[in-house]
Amino acid sequence: MPRTAKQNKEIREKTQQLILNTSLRLFSQKGFHATTIAEIAKEAGISKGLAYNYYKSKQDIAAALFMNLDDLIDSFRFALADIEDYYEKLRFTILSMLEFVDQSEEFWRLYIAFILQPENADLSKGALEKFYTEMMSITIEIFEGLEVKNPKVEARLLSGLFDGIILHYYIDKKNYPLKEILSRIIDMYSVENIEKMRQN
Amino acid sequence: MPRTAKQNKEIREKTQQLILNTSLRLFSQKGFHATTIAEIAKEAGISKGLAYNYYKSKQDIAAALFMNLDDLIDSFRFALADIEDYYEKLRFTILSMLEFVDQSEEFWRLYIAFILQPENADLSKGALEKFYTEMMSITIEIFEGLEVKNPKVEARLLSGLFDGIILHYYIDKKNYPLKEILSRIIDMYSVENIEKMRQN
Amino acid sequence: MPRTAKQNKEIREKTQQLILNTSLRLFSQKGFHATTIAEIAKEAGISKGLAYNYYKSKQDIAAALFMNLDDLIDSFRFALADIEDYYEKLRFTILSMLEFVDQSEEFWRLYIAFILQPENADLSKGALEKFYTEMMSITIEIFEGLEVKNPKVEARLLSGLFDGIILHYYIDKKNYPLKEILSRIIDMYSVENIEKMRQN
Amino acid sequence: MPRTAKQNKEIREKTQQLILNTSLRLFSQKGFHATTIAEIAKEAGISKGLAYNYYKSKQDIAAALFMNLDDLIDSFRFALADIEDYYEKLRFTILSMLEFVDQSEEFWRLYIAFILQPENADLSKGALEKFYTEMMSITIEIFEGLEVKNPKVEARLLSGLFDGIILHYYIDKKNYPLKEILSRIIDMYSVENIEKMRQN
DNA sequence: GATGAATGAGTTTTCATTCAT
DNA sequence: TATGAATGAAAACTCATTCAT
């Protein structure tokens, strides 16, 4: 008697997730090209063949990793919509970024490594570029809502600052004064300082 | 007529530089593993064999690319030593970074891509880590000279901010408001603001 | 309620036939090696596992396809035995070939493709060679009955002509003047022309 | 000192030919898909890698095998142009075919096997179809020159007959009465018989 | 110093076949 | 009987590196 469709679906989803998780970890540690399917399979405890049963190529795995960035954006937008005050929106954005970093180091490493090398664009099928643009436009909207003088500049600055901090944190985690840095950032976006951004 | 020793040396140096430049460009565009020796040779207009005449492996080329980071640090330190005022030192540091970015996009891209992936450490033989540490300690010294409350935090913040800005600039060069961002940064490190960093 | 033995038998036969038909089509379109079990199963609307339930290997399917060639020969022989006149026997043979061609394009394509490549012999387990030999000896007998000068030569000529015509017909069906060609062939084996084959 | 360009060219051409010859033999014996690059390399006495140095894929080798069919047609056309009498042209055509068969068994086997399976068309990039069409139009022209009643039918008949004979000859070389068959064919295209083709 | 043909180890990918359900 | 997830062996293909010239 064959497995039921539901059983199969569960198996498939579990194995798929296993492959994605393992791949993400290895890709982010060693890079896409330096990671072999054999390694992924071995680490995931499956056969090479099975990996191809789920993803038709190594590229495909990479693409799948970036596939749910859209969902991430959507749910973030959704959560923001619930907040009325723009100061709160900004605060929520900063905290979300922090949370993301904390939980998604591997993903973030891979994201930066990919986005830095133009020829990877076709590997991710433009998903990263789209994510970047979306995040930027959300941040710009917030600064517009805060009526600062130059929303685009402020948005670029905040997100640049953010990625830079994360980058350095990951480079030298052990010695990084993350806590102090974060309170410093939060201070940079205090009501008082935002007031300044409104003036010339 | 055989070449003189001097001629040979010149040829060697020229070819070596050609290989390094070409490799840097390709590595930064496609990544180390995605770049083949065949491509480097073709782009450089030389034979594969010749590349091996100069560098004993592909790794070796990568290592060579990071080799003169030491010189960079030295000359930077040297230049800083000539400046007495710490405000000026900071200003000079920021401007140097700007200049570096402008002239060394490829290098910087490669630097970040490498430093992000721990397993690349043996490719660069620790040169990147050393560079990072040195740069950090120079910056800390400056903030110490400025007698700010928390030199380490300020140093991390500045360099993080800096790399973040560059990162985003490279990601989206066409639309990036670099000029505005830079004056914003310079303002962040105005005398007045540094004064604030002194107080808690 | 379990199925009765009879129901099971019917299912088995139907499924078996489905697999054979699908395989024949795909093998003849793409070749044996280029056709995968997965494709056959998909096209037949069954699972891969089920295919193995009926045939123990891909080879086995190919062998099964050629299995009933023996029956074909037998029934052809049987039909011929009913005809007394050798002119009629020849006529019947030609018409049978025509009919076969019309109905069995896929089979014929596969037959030729297989018989052309010696190393396929073990795939068909010699069935094709046997079929060829049998058909030839039947044709020789007819020409012997017609008392032509050189029955073997005439038999080879007729069957060669026949396969050649079919081959070209299949290569370029749209433009092939099949009707005219056939009447030309039938004319080649007119009583008058057979008379000539009797003379030196 | 590097090899001269001429030396390299010679080496390349020699190796290329070696690969093509070996591939042709194996493809024709076992079929395209059943032949592995490893086998080709081993038979040719070279490494797998070298084969890829010359042809970028297995498909590419197949395509190369059919590449010079155009030349074959051209030179055949050229030779025919030198002959004035249409009876002679026909005679020359028949003899050329015979010669071709004698010298190009492997090629012919491959040709038929490929042309029989529609999905191979992209492997040969249409070269076979073109060859077939060209040969047919040449033959039609000759029968037109001979002013027979139905040149297209006669051309199809001759070429079909021809390929059929070859096919059967290759199927059963040992026992095939090739000589007798050939004189029978030449007789079929005697002046007297061609005269008949002119009448209705 | 310079070349590019040649190698072979390693990587991606395919697919017949098995097997738990 | 029927399914399709899983395997593993073998195939296609890549590329750093060597070496004869």
Side-chain angles (χ1 to χ4, degrees):
Chain A
M1 224 170 321
R3 289 193 197 82
T4 64
K6 196 181 154 217
Q7 281 173 315
N8 273 325
K9 198 178 163 223
E10 273 163 17
I11 291 177
R12 286 195 74 80
E13 275 168 9
K14 208 172 136 193
T15 309
Q16 228 162 40
Q17 206 52 53
L18 177 63
I19 294 171
L20 287 183
N21 292 342
T22 312
S23 301
L24 175 57
R25 177 156 51 83
L26 293 174
F27 287 169
S28 87
Q29 270 165 25
K30 323 180 49 173
F32 176 77
H33 291 284
T35 304
T36 69
I37 293 282
E39 266 174 312
I40 294 171
K42 195 177 177 186
E43 285 283 305
I46 61 172
S47 67
K48 268 182 296 176
L50 191 58
Y52 282 91
N53 202 318
Y54 286 88
Y55 297 96
K56 72 176 198 297
S57 69
K58 200 171 115 182
Q59 273 212 29
D60 222 47
I61 298 180
L65 283 172
F66 297 122
M67 211 61 103
N68 40 11
L69 281 178
D70 278 353
D71 296 348
L72 198 64
I73 286 280
D74 285 348
S75 66
F76 182 56
R77 269 227 163 83
F78 198 73
L80 267 185
D82 265 7
I83 304 173
E84 294 217 350
D85 184 48
Y86 278 95
Y87 287 100
E88 279 310 304
K89 278 181 200 266
L90 181 62
R91 191 185 169 73
F92 177 75
T93 303
I94 293 176
L95 293 177
S96 299
M97 287 173 168
L98 285 180
E99 197 182 359
F100 177 68
V101 167
D102 213 43
Q103 289 165 15
S104 311
E105 170 170 352
E106 286 165 354
F107 186 86
W108 190 90
R109 279 179 189 270
L110 189 59
Y111 170 64
I112 298 298
F114 259 68
I115 212 164
L116 265 177
Q117 293 176 337
E119 307 231 351
N120 284 331
D122 48 336
L123 278 179
S124 69
K125 295 177 181 167
L128 301 182
E129 289 71 11
K130 194 182 162 201
F131 176 72
Y132 180 82
T133 312
E134 293 280 324
M135 274 307 295
M136 200 52 65
S137 79
I138 290 175
T139 319
I140 290 172
E141 279 168 38
I142 295 174
F143 280 108
E144 282 170 351
L146 287 168
E147 296 177 334
V148 306
K149 190 91 199 298
N150 212 330
K152 282 182 191 166
V153 170
E154 295 302 336
R156 296 278 187 173
L157 191 68
L158 172 60
S159 57
L161 173 62
F162 207 85
D163 278 338
I165 298 302
I166 298 171
L167 177 61
H168 282 230
Y169 170 56
Y170 286 153
I171 289 174
D172 189 21
K173 264 177 153 178
K174 279 195 298 274
N175 306 307
Y176 204 86
L178 189 59
K179 234 167 119 177
E180 290 91 333
I181 293 280
L182 292 179
S183 50
R184 189 82 168 66
I185 291 180
I186 284 169
D187 184 60
M188 280 170 74
Y189 292 93
S190 66
V191 176
E192 182 193 3
N193 279 326
I194 287 171
E195 188 62 36
K196 275 191 201 152
M197 297 176 200
R198 292 217 183 86
Q199 301 151 16
N200 196 357
Chain B
M1 210 179 337
R3 283 187 278 269
T4 65
K6 196 185 156 211
Q7 279 175 319
N8 268 334
K9 200 183 163 218
E10 271 166 19
I11 289 177
R12 282 198 74 82
E13 276 169 10
K14 211 174 135 192
T15 308
Q16 229 163 35
Q17 204 51 50
L18 178 63
I19 294 171
L20 288 183
N21 291 342
T22 311
S23 301
L24 174 56
R25 177 157 51 84
L26 293 174
F27 287 169
S28 87
Q29 272 166 21
K30 322 178 50 172
F32 176 77
H33 285 102
T35 303
T36 68
I37 293 284
E39 265 175 312
I40 294 171
K42 195 176 176 185
E43 285 281 306
I46 62 171
S47 70
K48 272 183 293 176
L50 192 58
Y52 279 90
N53 204 317
Y54 288 90
Y55 297 96
K56 73 174 201 294
S57 71
K58 195 172 130 182
Q59 275 213 29
D60 223 47
I61 297 179
L65 283 172
F66 297 122
M67 213 62 103
N68 39 12
L69 281 177
D70 278 355
D71 296 347
L72 198 65
I73 286 280
D74 285 349
S75 66
F76 183 57
R77 269 226 163 83
F78 199 73
L80 267 184
D82 264 9
I83 304 172
E84 294 216 349
D85 183 49
Y86 277 96
Y87 287 101
E88 278 311 304
K89 278 180 200 267
L90 180 62
R91 191 182 170 75
F92 177 75
T93 303
I94 293 177
L95 292 176
S96 300
M97 286 174 168
L98 285 181
E99 198 181 359
F100 177 68
V101 167
D102 214 43
Q103 289 165 15
S104 311
E105 171 171 352
E106 287 165 354
F107 186 85
W108 190 91
R109 279 180 188 270
L110 189 59
Y111 169 66
I112 298 298
F114 260 68
I115 212 163
L116 264 176
Q117 292 175 337
E119 307 230 351
N120 283 331
D122 48 337
L123 278 178
S124 69
K125 297 177 179 168
L128 301 181
E129 289 71 11
K130 193 183 163 202
F131 176 73
Y132 180 83
T133 312
E134 292 282 323
M135 273 307 294
M136 201 52 65
S137 78
I138 290 175
T139 319
I140 292 174
E141 279 167 36
I142 294 174
F143 280 108
E144 281 170 351
L146 286 167
E147 294 177 334
V148 305
K149 191 95 197 295
N150 211 331
K152 281 182 190 168
V153 170
E154 293 303 334
R156 296 279 187 174
L157 190 67
L158 173 60
S159 56
L161 174 62
F162 210 84
D163 278 338
I165 298 303
I166 298 171
L167 176 61
H168 282 229
Y169 170 55
Y170 287 153
I171 288 174
D172 189 21
K173 264 178 154 180
K174 278 197 299 275
N175 306 307
Y176 205 85
L178 189 57
K179 236 167 114 179
E180 291 91 332
I181 294 279
L182 292 179
S183 50
R184 188 83 169 65
I185 292 181
I186 285 170
D187 184 60
M188 282 170 73
Y189 292 93
S190 66
V191 177
E192 184 195 1
N193 279 325
I194 288 172
E195 188 61 35
K196 278 193 200 150
M197 298 176 201
R198 291 216 184 85
Q199 307 148 14
N200 185 349
Chain C
M1 210 178 334
R3 284 188 277 269
T4 65
K6 196 184 154 214
Q7 279 175 318
N8 269 334
K9 199 182 164 218
E10 271 166 18
I11 289 177
R12 283 199 72 82
E13 276 168 11
K14 210 173 135 193
T15 308
Q16 229 162 35
Q17 206 49 51
L18 179 62
I19 294 171
L20 288 182
N21 292 342
T22 311
S23 302
L24 174 56
R25 177 156 51 84
L26 292 174
F27 287 168
S28 88
Q29 272 165 23
K30 324 179 47 170
F32 176 77
H33 290 285
T35 303
T36 69
I37 294 282
E39 265 174 312
I40 294 172
K42 193 177 177 184
E43 285 283 304
I46 62 172
S47 68
K48 273 182 292 175
L50 193 57
Y52 279 90
N53 206 319
Y54 287 90
Y55 297 96
K56 74 173 200 293
S57 70
K58 195 172 130 183
Q59 275 212 29
D60 222 48
I61 298 180
L65 283 172
F66 297 122
M67 212 62 104
N68 40 10
L69 281 177
D70 278 355
D71 297 347
L72 198 64
I73 286 281
D74 285 349
S75 66
F76 183 57
R77 270 227 162 81
F78 199 73
L80 267 185
D82 265 8
I83 304 171
E84 294 217 350
D85 183 47
Y86 278 96
Y87 287 101
E88 279 309 306
K89 278 182 201 266
L90 181 61
R91 191 184 169 73
F92 178 75
T93 303
I94 292 176
L95 293 176
S96 300
M97 286 173 168
L98 285 181
E99 197 181 1
F100 177 69
V101 167
D102 214 42
Q103 289 165 17
S104 311
E105 169 171 351
E106 286 165 354
F107 186 86
W108 190 89
R109 280 181 188 268
L110 189 59
Y111 169 65
I112 298 298
F114 259 69
I115 211 163
L116 263 177
Q117 294 176 335
E119 307 229 352
N120 283 332
D122 48 338
L123 277 178
S124 70
K125 296 177 180 168
L128 301 182
E129 290 70 11
K130 194 182 163 202
F131 176 73
Y132 180 82
T133 313
E134 292 282 324
M135 274 305 295
M136 200 53 65
S137 80
I138 290 175
T139 319
I140 291 172
E141 279 168 36
I142 294 174
F143 280 108
E144 281 170 350
L146 286 167
E147 294 177 335
V148 305
K149 189 97 198 296
N150 211 332
K152 282 183 191 166
V153 170
E154 294 301 337
R156 296 278 186 173
L157 191 67
L158 173 59
S159 57
L161 174 62
F162 208 86
D163 278 336
I165 298 302
I166 298 171
L167 176 61
H168 283 228
Y169 170 55
Y170 287 152
I171 288 174
D172 188 21
K173 265 177 154 180
K174 277 195 301 273
N175 306 307
Y176 205 85
L178 188 58
K179 236 168 117 176
E180 290 92 331
I181 294 280
L182 292 179
S183 52
R184 189 83 169 65
I185 292 180
I186 285 169
D187 184 61
M188 280 170 73
Y189 292 93
S190 66
V191 178
E192 181 193 3
N193 278 327
I194 287 171
E195 188 62 34
K196 276 193 200 149
M197 298 176 200
R198 292 217 184 84
Q199 304 152 15
N200 195 355
Chain D
M1 227 168 320
R3 289 193 198 83
T4 64
K6 197 182 153 215
Q7 281 174 315
N8 272 325
K9 200 179 162 222
E10 272 164 17
I11 291 177
R12 286 195 74 82
E13 275 168 11
K14 208 173 138 194
T15 310
Q16 228 162 40
Q17 206 51 53
L18 177 63
I19 294 171
L20 288 183
N21 291 342
T22 312
S23 301
L24 175 57
R25 177 158 49 85
L26 293 174
F27 286 168
S28 87
Q29 270 166 24
K30 323 180 49 172
F32 175 78
H33 285 103
T35 304
T36 69
I37 293 281
E39 265 174 312
I40 294 171
K42 194 176 176 184
E43 284 285 304
I46 62 173
S47 67
K48 267 183 295 174
L50 192 58
Y52 282 93
N53 202 318
Y54 287 88
Y55 297 97
K56 71 176 199 296
S57 70
K58 201 171 116 180
Q59 273 213 29
D60 221 48
I61 298 180
L65 283 172
F66 296 123
M67 211 60 103
N68 40 11
L69 281 177
D70 277 355
D71 296 347
L72 198 64
I73 287 279
D74 285 348
S75 66
F76 182 57
R77 269 226 162 85
F78 198 73
L80 267 185
D82 265 7
I83 304 172
E84 293 216 351
D85 184 47
Y86 278 95
Y87 286 100
E88 279 308 306
K89 278 182 200 266
L90 181 62
R91 192 183 169 72
F92 177 75
T93 302
I94 293 176
L95 293 176
S96 300
M97 286 173 168
L98 286 180
E99 197 182 357
F100 177 69
V101 166
D102 213 42
Q103 288 165 17
S104 311
E105 170 171 351
E106 286 165 354
F107 186 85
W108 191 90
R109 279 181 189 268
L110 189 60
Y111 170 65
I112 298 298
F114 259 69
I115 212 164
L116 264 176
Q117 292 174 339
E119 307 231 352
N120 284 331
D122 47 337
L123 277 179
S124 69
K125 296 177 181 166
L128 301 182
E129 289 71 12
K130 194 182 163 202
F131 177 72
Y132 180 81
T133 312
E134 293 280 325
M135 274 307 294
M136 200 52 65
S137 79
I138 290 175
T139 320
I140 291 173
E141 279 168 38
I142 294 174
F143 280 109
E144 282 171 350
L146 287 167
E147 295 176 337
V148 305
K149 189 91 199 297
N150 211 331
K152 281 181 191 168
V153 170
E154 295 302 336
R156 296 279 187 173
L157 190 68
L158 173 58
S159 57
L161 174 62
F162 210 86
D163 278 337
I165 298 301
I166 298 171
L167 177 61
H168 282 230
Y169 170 55
Y170 288 151
I171 288 174
D172 189 20
K173 265 177 152 181
K174 278 195 301 273
N175 306 307
Y176 205 84
L178 189 57
K179 235 169 114 177
E180 290 91 333
I181 293 281
L182 291 180
S183 51
R184 188 80 169 67
I185 292 181
I186 284 168
D187 185 57
M188 281 170 73
Y189 292 93
S190 66
V191 177
E192 183 192 1
N193 278 327
I194 287 170
E195 188 63 34
K196 276 193 200 149
M197 297 176 200
R198 292 217 183 85
Q199 303 152 18
N200 195 356

